[in-house]
Amino acid sequence: MKKISVIGLGLTMLVTACMPINEANNNNDTTGDYTTGDAFDDRYVSVNDYIGEDYDLVNGEKTDVIANEKFAEIEEAMKAFFLEEYKTEVIVHNVVGNMDGATVFVESVGEPHFHTYAMIGIDVKEEQIMTESIWTQDSQVEQGIFSGLLAMIMDEEFAALDAFTDQIAEKYPVVGLRQEAINNVKATAYTTPYYFVQPMALRDEMEELNSLYFENPEISAEELKSQFVKEAYNANYLSITVQFYMKEKDTKPTESLLDDIVQEFKALEGVPRGNYWINLHDNYINKLSASGSQDNSLDERDIIRQ
């Protein structure tokens, strides 16, 4: 498989959408709260409206134009690449120019379900898509596949987490991301409007389950469950980031609201064993980076569920 470790290629590196730490370190932000007064600028839009428009990567202005003009060519090449390299059918949702080509956001079809990305080269001088030059960040796609397989194995546990986040959104004035935003600019493996799963630290388990999938892409949840002991993995190494946004534009997150959500979560039974990070943002998201993290964001980290 064509891969890179985290080196150049103009991606700095992708994505505030890739790892939880990037949600807290927004490279497009500078110090300050941009959601009030004269400091507010047009980088920020309501999460209620955000669908991934204006997402930006470093030095991608020229390649972005070419990539969007030739979306169909990129789409065809990416679908073939994922089938050949990862035995996975994908939907190509979005392309964003970067220094050396384009970053392509995809969603798997069916199970295992996940969102990820790959890169494709572009010859700017000739305005040509380099379909023979497609690569992925080391372990990025594998992590996505693994997260989707875990969701198949722990279907009841993830259903309990889904029910919890839905209930919180009904009970409190909070919302999650729109599905269009997830499709267009998020590459956070198994992802819902309220949380995403990052299991890469479970490397041995990832290699074991992914090998089963690559040998048989049609493998059933029942077969996977028979091969994986869900009580045995180290819960500290399964990172699950939960994110809520304030529903109204003129409201800020409060410690009391975060505490209510955290206490309800700690009392919850039957969710996946893991290391949880619960975030509460205001209503705005940076449209350039797809990050909701700001100075007024609140969080509770390292909530371990065994």
Side-chain angles (χ1 to χ4, degrees):
M1 298 180 186
K2 302 173 185 176
K3 299 183 183 300
I4 59 169
S5 295
V6 186
I7 57 175
L9 297 167
L11 292 176
T12 315
M13 183 94 196
L14 195 197
V15 196
T16 53
C18 275
M19 298 295 288
I21 188 65
N22 295 104
E23 292 289 346
N25 293 295
N26 183 349
N27 290 331
N28 286 305
D29 285 347
T30 55
T31 303
D33 177 4
Y34 294 94
T35 63
T36 57
D38 295 336
F40 183 80
D41 63 48
D42 62 3
R43 287 178 295 175
Y44 290 87
V45 297
S46 170
V47 72
N48 304 336
D49 304 320
Y50 184 64
I51 60 172
E53 292 179 317
D54 298 320
Y55 186 86
D56 184 53
L57 292 172
V58 176
N59 296 326
E61 295 84 1
K62 294 181 180 179
T63 53
D64 192 65
V65 173
I66 299 169
N68 280 279
E69 288 178 348
K70 302 194 175 185
F71 179 89
E73 187 176 346
I74 293 174
E75 179 181 36
E76 182 180 359
M78 277 293 166
K79 287 184 174 181
F81 172 79
F82 273 90
L83 271 177
E84 179 179 353
E85 298 290 338
Y86 297 104
K87 316 300 182 186
T88 300
E89 183 180 354
V90 299
I91 301 167
V92 177
H93 286 294
N94 191 25
V95 295
V96 180
N98 62 52
M99 180 182 292
D100 296 285
T103 298
V104 185
F105 292 87
V106 305
E107 174 189 8
S108 65
V109 175
E111 293 182 320
H113 190 246
F114 60 94
H115 286 77
T116 191
Y117 70 94
M119 283 77 73
I120 190 167
I122 295 178
D123 184 330
V124 175
K125 184 177 180 180
E126 300 295 330
E127 296 189 357
Q128 295 294 319
I129 305 300
M130 301 166 64
T131 56
E132 75 285 356
S133 179
I134 299 177
W135 66 96
T136 61
Q137 183 182 347
D138 187 40
S139 296
Q140 175 73 18
V141 178
E142 288 85 350
Q143 179 177 217
I145 293 170
F146 180 43
S147 70
L149 295 173
L150 288 177
M152 293 171 67
I153 292 168
M154 295 186 282
D155 51 347
E156 294 181 1
E157 289 86 347
F158 278 101
L161 184 56
D162 290 334
F164 166 76
T165 54
D166 288 343
Q167 289 166 9
I168 291 297
E170 291 176 4
K171 184 175 180 179
Y172 299 106
V174 297
V175 296
L177 289 173
R178 290 179 57 162
Q179 188 63 46
E180 299 97 322
I182 295 171
N183 292 342
N184 288 329
V185 295
K186 292 295 183 180
T188 39
Y190 185 78
T191 305
T192 78
Y194 299 105
Y195 67 87
F196 57 89
V197 180
Q198 301 283 282
M200 192 166 63
L202 296 170
R203 291 189 176 275
D204 291 341
E205 292 87 346
M206 180 168 68
E207 182 176 345
E208 176 185 352
L209 278 188
N210 284 5
S211 294
L212 293 173
Y213 174 71
F214 291 138
E215 291 171 6
N216 177 21
E218 303 300 322
I219 192 168
S220 68
E222 289 69 26
E223 291 176 278
L224 288 168
K225 290 176 182 179
S226 70
Q227 298 290 325
F228 186 81
V229 181
K230 61 186 179 182
E231 295 81 16
Y233 67 85
N234 188 334
N236 292 275
Y237 292 164
L238 178 59
S239 175
I240 301 177
T241 300
V242 182
Q243 299 193 96
F244 295 104
Y245 292 80
M246 298 303 296
K247 187 175 183 178
E248 301 297 333
K249 295 180 181 180
D250 59 350
T251 56
K252 293 184 179 181
T254 64
E255 293 284 358
S256 60
L257 177 53
L258 176 65
D259 186 62
D260 287 342
I261 294 172
V262 169
Q263 293 310 312
E264 290 200 29
F265 176 73
K266 288 181 176 179
L268 187 64
E269 298 293 335
V271 295
R273 298 171 55 250
N275 186 339
Y276 288 81
W277 180 8
I278 298 180
N279 296 268
L280 182 60
H281 307 299
D282 66 17
N283 182 255
Y284 291 94
I285 188 168
N286 187 315
K287 64 184 179 182
L288 303 180
S289 65
S291 173
S293 295
Q294 297 183 66
D295 284 357
N296 61 12
S297 295
L298 304 172
D299 65 76
E300 180 83 12
R301 306 187 186 197
D302 296 324
I303 306 172
I304 310 297
R305 299 302 302 268
Q306 297 286 356

